[in-house]
Amino acid sequence: MNKQDKIYVAGHRGLIGSAIVRNLRARGFENIVYRSHKQMDLANQDAVRRFFEREKPDYVFLAAAKVGGIQANYSYPADFIYINTMIQNNVIHEAYRSGTKRLLFLGSSCIYPKMAKQPLRENYLLTAPLEPTNRAYALAKIAGIETCWSYNLQYGTQFIGAMPTNLFGPGDNYDLEKSHVIPALLSKFHAGKVKNLKEVEVWGTGKPRREFLYSEDAADACVHLMNLSNRKIKPLLGSDEHASGEFSPPLVNVGSGTDVTIKELAKTIAQVVGYQGKIVFNTNRPDGTPQKRLDVNKLKDLGWSYKISLKEGLQDVYERDIKQIHGNVQ
């Protein structure tokens, strides 16, 4: 990307989208365009078409999506599959029509089978059943990958997917009904500290293993991928199976390559927050997938590795978000 290129960040107010905007500005990119949901509903085909015809962005980061934790995914599967597939189809198709040079589609590690071998490699996609609690969301993201793949094959576009592990960072969603595990636990343990609660409940057994990445690191990886040379990005565009017989989808795992148990995560968050009560695991609540750890060798081979540790990221987001939202208690 050149500094004068026009860059569209869809979902610029979200966790990863806002981090991408900060990363681009820090690198000296100023010609960045975005629209809030009130200004443009990405599920509205006509609105998206008018936007692309007017702006004609050179590069697109597709970070807009309806997201949520286990409870939200379980409760609103129709919303997750409908809204996300509409957003993806509209943005990807109009990016092609307007002549966008490259598009980076943000997916999720939940695209991989529930019981897949660990760590998760990119070519494990579509090899076994998905985790049922977030299947609708995962299928929407898989459809987005297939759409990028299809446009690359048919039209010669350079549309790739970045599949982040579980992300956390500034501006996350701290609504306990809709949030992911880290913001939910940060809020719970902070409330436990403020209210001097004797115990704080954590869903599940605490045994599942999860990988986490700070959103600022994830954004840096996305910008790194978008900046790859034509030679390096070509193998990431997806294989033509009819010609090669090789199953190689157009995606790159984005993560740290390390994981922790939910129990270990809860203890670390309690330490960061300064909560000294008891941690109780509610085994009547679902655990989800037993383990999700990404194989990040492809990303490392492309010259990128994470820099911010889990505890460093937790300390930063606790100071920047939780204390501001819920009150500063020493």
Side-chain angles (χ1 to χ4, degrees), residues 208-222:
R209 302 189 67 88
R210 291 291 183 270
E211 175 186 7
F212 299 98
L213 186 68
Y214 201 45
S215 58
E216 305 300 309
D217 263 347
D220 192 64
C222 290

Side-chain angles (χ1 to χ4, degrees), residues 30-306:
E30 295 295 336
N31 194 8
I32 306 170
V33 294
Y34 34 74
R35 297 289 187 276
S36 68
H37 179 70
K38 287 185 178 180
Q39 293 172 313
M40 178 174 62
D41 180 1
L42 291 174
N44 183 314
Q45 185 179 37
D46 290 337
V48 176
R49 175 162 293 183
R50 289 193 298 270
F51 169 80
F52 273 88
E53 288 177 345
R54 181 173 57 252
E55 296 293 345
K56 296 189 183 302
D58 298 296
Y59 295 88
V60 173
F61 290 88
L62 178 43
K66 178 176 178 60
V67 298
I70 291 177
Q71 181 65 35
N73 275 273
Y74 180 77
S75 301
Y76 311 108
D79 291 351
F80 277 95
I81 196 164
Y82 174 77
I83 294 172
N84 285 313
T85 51
M86 290 294 288
I87 289 172
Q88 296 158 194
N89 288 344
N90 290 337
V91 174
I92 293 171
H93 183 64
E94 296 307 325
Y96 152 68
R97 288 186 71 252
S98 68
T100 293
K101 295 176 183 177
R102 286 183 183 174
L103 178 145
L104 187 139
F105 169 65
L106 269 295
S108 167
S109 60
C110 72
I111 64 167
Y112 294 114
K114 177 178 181 178
M115 303 305 293
K117 182 181 177 181
Q118 303 289 319
L120 298 164
R121 299 179 62 185
E122 287 87 352
N123 61 1
Y124 290 176
L125 181 71
L126 299 174
T127 57
L130 300 164
E131 160 59 41
T133 56
N134 60 9
R135 185 173 57 223
Y137 178 75
L139 284 170
K141 290 300 182 180
I142 291 170
I145 294 166
E146 185 68 32
T147 304
C148 289
W149 203 346
S150 299
Y151 277 68
N152 291 344
L153 288 171
Q154 186 170 338
Y155 299 119
T157 52
Q158 292 190 348
F159 296 170
I160 63 171
M163 298 300 117
T165 187
N166 301 288
L167 301 181
F168 70 102
D172 213 334
N173 184 349
Y174 296 95
D175 181 342
L176 291 180
E177 294 257 336
K178 301 177 181 178
S179 62
H180 289 102
V181 61
I182 283 183
L185 291 182
L186 281 168
S187 294
K188 281 187 174 184
F189 281 109
H190 183 75
K193 177 183 176 181
V194 171
K195 298 175 182 178
N196 198 27
L197 299 178
K198 293 183 179 180
E199 60 184 44
V200 168
E201 179 186 282
V202 178
W203 280 22
T205 64
K207 295 178 181 179
R209 302 189 67 88
R210 291 291 183 270
E211 175 186 7
F212 299 98
L213 186 68
Y214 201 45
S215 58
E216 305 300 309
D217 263 347
D220 192 64
C222 290
V223 176
H224 178 83
L225 289 170
M226 194 72 101
N227 267 321
L228 291 174
S229 66
N230 284 325
R231 180 181 62 82
K232 287 188 176 182
I233 205 168
K234 187 176 180 180
L236 308 181
L237 301 179
S239 62
D240 181 352
E241 291 175 84
H242 297 291
S244 67
E246 178 186 4
F247 178 73
S248 180
L251 58 95
V252 180
N253 288 337
V254 175
S256 65
T258 61
D259 62 4
V260 296
T261 66
I262 296 300
K263 183 176 183 179
E264 291 168 336
L265 173 67
K267 287 182 177 180
T268 301
I269 290 177
Q271 291 172 359
V272 167
V273 171
Y275 174 73
Q276 298 180 344
K278 184 179 180 181
I279 303 173
V280 177
F281 292 90
N282 184 346
T283 57
N284 292 320
R285 293 292 190 173
D287 271 337
T289 305
Q291 183 180 22
K292 283 201 300 183
R293 179 166 66 91
L294 297 180
D295 183 318
V296 294
N297 285 320
K298 182 183 287 189
L299 186 58
K300 285 183 178 179
D301 290 343
L302 292 167
W304 190 91
S305 295
Y306 81 104

